[in-house]
Every structure is written in structure tokens, then in C-alpha cells.
Amino acid sequence: MTDLHHPERDDAGITTAEYAVGTAAGAGLAGLLYVMLSGGFGKKLLTTLFDHVLGLLGIG
């Protein structure tokens, strides 16, 4: 049913509000990852990952 005052809308794209929510979520995730990886946890994680990869390659 079509309303004369509000014609049918195309919902194919995302709205400005959705961009804002997506941007805020991305910034929050980036901040969380920065805090986690810049501390001791990040150093231990990267060292363990690097050692594991070297072990799989037979180098380390």
C-alpha cells in the first residue's frame, strides 16, 4: 500500500546512523586491540605465535 505523503523507500543502502554505529564499533574494537596488544599480553601472544610458526616450518 502506497501512502501519498510517504512514497515507498528503497532500503538498498545503509543510512548515516548505521555508518555512525559501524564507525563507533570499529573505533572501539581498534582501541581494545591496541590496549591488549601494547601490553605484556600482546608481546607474549606475538612471541608464542612467531615461535609456533618457526616450529611448523622446522626452523626454530
Side-chain angles (χ1 to χ4, degrees):
M1 182 166 140
T2 304
D3 185 2
L4 294 177
H5 297 291
H6 301 288
E8 291 183 30
R9 296 180 183 158
D10 182 19
D11 291 335
I14 64 174
T15 64
T16 304
E18 290 169 332
Y19 276 120
V21 170
T23 301
L29 180 60
L32 178 65
L33 286 174
Y34 175 76
V35 169
M36 288 177 61
L37 294 177
S38 64
F41 173 76
K43 183 177 180 180
K44 182 171 175 60
L45 177 70
L46 292 175
T47 302
T48 302
L49 180 64
F50 189 70
D51 289 342
H52 183 70
V53 170
L54 289 178
L56 288 174
L57 294 173
I59 299 170

